[in-house]
Amino acid sequence: MNTRSGVASYTPVPCETACASCDVRALSLCAALRQDDLSVMERVSTVRNLLPDEILIHEGDPARRVYTVTKGMMRLSTILADGRRQITGFLMPGDFLGLADEETTSATVEAVTHSTLCAFARADMNRLLHDHPPLQARLMQFTRAALREARDGQIMLGRLAPVEKLSSFLLMMSTRMEARGLPANPVPIPMSRTDIADFLGLTVETVSRSFTKLRNQQLIRLPDAHHVDIVDRRALAAVAGIDQA
Amino acid sequence: MNTRSGVASYTPVPCETACASCDVRALSLCAALRQDDLSVMERVSTVRNLLPDEILIHEGDPARRVYTVTKGMMRLSTILADGRRQITGFLMPGDFLGLADEETTSATVEAVTHSTLCAFARADMNRLLHDHPPLQARLMQFTRAALREARDGQIMLGRLAPVEKLSSFLLMMSTRMEARGLPANPVPIPMSRTDIADFLGLTVETVSRSFTKLRNQQLIRLPDAHHVDIVDRRALAAVAGIDQA
DNA sequence: CGCCGTATTGAGCACTGTCAATAACAGTGG
DNA sequence: CCACTGTTATTGACAGTGCTCAATACGGCG
């Protein structure tokens, strides 16, 4: 289970740490830095690899590090005393991890798929932010965007019906793929039905039924459980309540 | 409805614009400024008074101004095409308005009660932020806090049962009163049951029934519809799922 | 090929939303 | 001051939706 793949320390050729050849650089926080400033950042960064379901952060842990996701997918979640879980967001390559917290982490963070992250000690990051105003500005933008996303989440959770929630979710996933220059149409859905349920505030069964409904209405096709082919984007958006683009 | 003791226009002496004597200064963004820098801020600020239910911002409007709430209470909301509404948050004195947006506003903002705000042109605020790093830092903290709050909202909306939602809401209101140095025990609830419902993702009827349940369990008393006396805070927190403090 | 975890489907029920009636309340005008 | 009216809150009855429990199907992997 937690078979550490032994890649915690640098590989001989630090391909991932080479910011210059980083494929999420344009999307990530680092885009705010010029080539030469990038090396300053590179010097204080370490790479972290995670296996599926491996836990990176336990809610309540001290917030010692911040990260940029470079590969894979992460989930942010909170678990109530009786085991109920709410997933508050998924992180994809380019996303920043650590926007909400100052001292203590406010969510558990786990890998959905095999993931790679670029880690920074919070103190180092603070110094970088202080020395590079554009970096600070970009972090602010990221935080604002995360706030808007969380509020969209509130709208979805509070006022959408199950099929609407799922439609909204699928469109969001598609949009995020597109934003990363990846194919947006057959959307890969790496997370389990349980994860989707805990994100949408539903049960697994209801999620499954909602998938079936959308399939029966010819709005989507399901090549397999983890790939959704959006057949009628417009109609899907209409079902979603036309929130998302 | 709730006769707030004030009149729209205030005393001849513009008490509200006098930052030096502002009673929410310690709570607000401005706390980051020294006495003399405060005058710079004061010079570019204007006061805005709002009557109950008066609309300050329509979702989609250009985000020309930002505000600090000095009196009263505001609500942030989004309305879906078919009229369903989700309230994503309430703002109280000291709270900053405009954290999430850059170009376009992402929520409608209305006054719950007679409210007073301190307004700044976004351009002016940006200049202030640029010239005063501590102000920038404080804005960042506020944004982070708002993000944590929105995520708490997601948890509440996604995974709590109606009574749990209401308990959680009441405790939150109480906590926020306390944070402002105001009496935390008989909690004033200025907003309507409809507002509460749209915040908690419920219907008015369910909110009302949940109030009744909590009253019947002796956890709260209801002197009137807009005041809640928390009788057993511990038990209420237990019902809430012990999220909030 | 068989096993195990995940996803889907089915049946029944509890809960919450809907619709409707009543009650409390505030503001208005006689 | 009180009756009248419109608004808001509460309560009741009922139905539909989504959850619970249970069975079946699918798919990856040994």
Side-chain angles (χ1 to χ4, degrees):
Chain A
M1 31 216 73
N2 85 6
T3 26
R4 209 161 290 262
S5 58
V7 211
S9 49
Y10 297 97
T11 53
V13 182
C15 198
E16 301 94 342
T17 58
C19 296
S21 67
C22 176
D23 47 339
V24 297
R25 190 173 129 211
L27 298 163
S28 75
L29 190 70
C30 321
L33 293 181
R34 297 196 324 277
Q35 184 71 33
D36 48 336
D37 290 330
L38 214 58
S39 63
V40 183
M41 195 167 204
E42 189 167 346
R43 217 164 297 140
V44 296
S45 75
T46 54
V47 175
R48 180 79 196 265
N49 274 290
L50 295 166
L51 295 172
D53 295 322
E54 197 176 340
I55 299 172
L56 177 64
I57 293 168
H58 280 95
E59 178 176 351
D61 282 353
R64 264 194 276 274
R65 284 178 232 279
V66 296
Y67 306 83
T68 288
V69 179
T70 56
K71 286 200 183 70
M73 179 174 284
M74 309 289 297
R75 60 171 171 259
L76 305 180
S77 65
T78 293
I79 301 184
L80 302 183
D82 60 357
R84 283 176 288 181
R85 183 179 70 153
Q86 177 65 42
I87 291 179
T88 52
F90 293 103
L91 299 183
M92 289 170 64
D95 288 338
F96 189 82
L97 172 43
L99 293 174
D101 307 321
E102 330 230 3
E103 304 265 283
T104 305
T105 56
S106 58
T108 294
V109 184
E110 298 153 294
V112 174
T113 64
H114 179 299
S115 301
T116 308
L117 302 102
C118 206
F120 305 89
R122 187 164 283 268
D124 288 333
M125 181 55 78
N126 285 341
R127 193 163 31 71
L128 283 167
L129 290 169
H130 178 268
D131 296 345
H132 305 276
L135 200 67
Q136 175 117 18
R138 193 160 169 83
L139 184 66
M140 189 72 208
Q141 285 182 328
F142 274 41
T143 311
R144 277 201 256 256
L147 177 54
R148 288 193 299 270
E149 243 181 68
R151 286 185 178 161
D152 283 348
Q154 287 183 271
I155 298 164
M156 181 213 73
L157 288 163
R159 286 303 179 213
L160 297 193
V163 255
E164 297 174 326
K165 287 180 176 181
L166 185 61
S167 303
S168 175
F169 169 71
L170 293 175
L171 288 169
M172 183 199 74
M173 290 299 290
S174 176
T175 302
R176 291 178 77 173
M177 290 300 287
E178 206 167 26
R180 279 158 187 79
L182 300 166
N185 197 342
V187 193
I189 306 289
M191 67 287 281
S192 70
R193 294 293 189 261
T194 304
D195 281 350
I196 300 176
D198 286 347
F199 179 67
L200 301 181
L202 303 169
T203 59
V204 207
E205 294 90 335
T206 302
V207 168
S208 197
R209 282 184 240 276
S210 300
F211 266 115
T212 305
K213 269 183 199 164
L214 291 177
R215 180 165 49 76
N216 291 345
Q217 291 177 237
Q218 319 272 345
L219 303 187
I220 60 169
R221 286 192 313 117
L222 289 164
D224 65 281
H226 293 280
H227 292 271
V228 174
D229 186 2
I230 299 178
V231 177
D232 191 340
R233 197 184 192 81
R234 192 170 303 270
L236 198 64
V239 172
I242 206 168
D243 286 309
Q244 310 284 5
Chain B
M1 44 150 127
N2 194 343
T3 29
R4 220 63 174 155
S5 59
V7 197
S9 55
Y10 243 79
T11 54
V13 183
C15 204
E16 301 94 343
T17 57
C19 295
S21 68
C22 175
D23 48 339
V24 297
R25 191 172 129 211
L27 298 164
S28 75
L29 190 71
C30 322
L33 292 181
R34 296 194 326 276
Q35 183 72 32
D36 48 337
D37 290 330
L38 214 58
S39 64
V40 183
M41 193 168 204
E42 190 168 347
R43 218 165 295 140
V44 296
S45 75
T46 53
V47 174
R48 179 79 196 266
N49 273 291
L50 295 167
L51 295 173
D53 295 322
E54 197 176 339
I55 299 173
L56 177 65
I57 293 169
H58 280 95
E59 177 174 352
D61 282 353
R64 264 194 275 273
R65 285 177 230 280
V66 296
Y67 305 84
T68 288
V69 179
T70 56
K71 287 201 183 67
M73 179 174 285
M74 309 289 296
R75 60 170 171 259
L76 305 181
S77 65
T78 293
I79 300 184
L80 301 183
D82 60 356
R84 282 176 289 181
R85 185 179 70 152
Q86 178 66 42
I87 291 179
T88 52
F90 293 102
L91 298 183
M92 289 171 64
D95 288 338
F96 189 83
L97 172 44
L99 293 173
D101 308 321
E102 330 230 3
E103 305 264 285
T104 304
T105 55
S106 60
T108 293
V109 185
E110 298 153 295
V112 174
T113 64
H114 178 296
S115 300
T116 307
L117 302 102
C118 207
F120 305 89
R122 188 164 281 269
D124 288 334
M125 181 54 78
N126 285 340
R127 193 163 31 72
L128 283 166
L129 290 169
H130 178 268
D131 295 345
H132 303 278
L135 200 66
Q136 175 116 21
R138 194 159 169 84
L139 184 67
M140 188 72 208
Q141 284 183 329
F142 273 41
T143 311
R144 275 202 258 256
L147 177 54
R148 288 193 298 271
E149 244 181 66
R151 286 185 177 161
D152 283 349
Q154 287 182 272
I155 298 164
M156 181 212 72
L157 288 163
R159 286 301 179 215
L160 297 193
V163 254
E164 295 174 327
K165 287 180 177 180
L166 185 60
S167 303
S168 176
F169 169 72
L170 294 175
L171 288 169
M172 182 199 76
M173 290 299 291
S174 176
T175 303
R176 291 177 77 174
M177 290 298 289
E178 206 167 25
R180 281 158 184 78
L182 300 166
N185 197 345
V187 193
I189 306 290
M191 67 287 280
S192 70
R193 294 293 189 261
T194 305
D195 281 351
I196 300 176
D198 287 347
F199 179 67
L200 301 181
L202 302 170
T203 59
V204 206
E205 295 90 336
T206 303
V207 169
S208 197
R209 281 184 240 277
S210 300
F211 266 114
T212 305
K213 267 183 200 164
L214 291 176
R215 180 166 48 78
N216 290 346
Q217 290 177 239
Q218 318 272 347
L219 303 187
I220 61 169
R221 286 192 312 120
L222 287 165
D224 65 281
H226 293 279
H227 291 271
V228 174
D229 186 4
I230 299 178
V231 177
D232 191 340
R233 197 185 192 82
R234 192 171 302 271
L236 199 63
V239 172
I242 206 166
D243 286 307
Q244 310 286 6

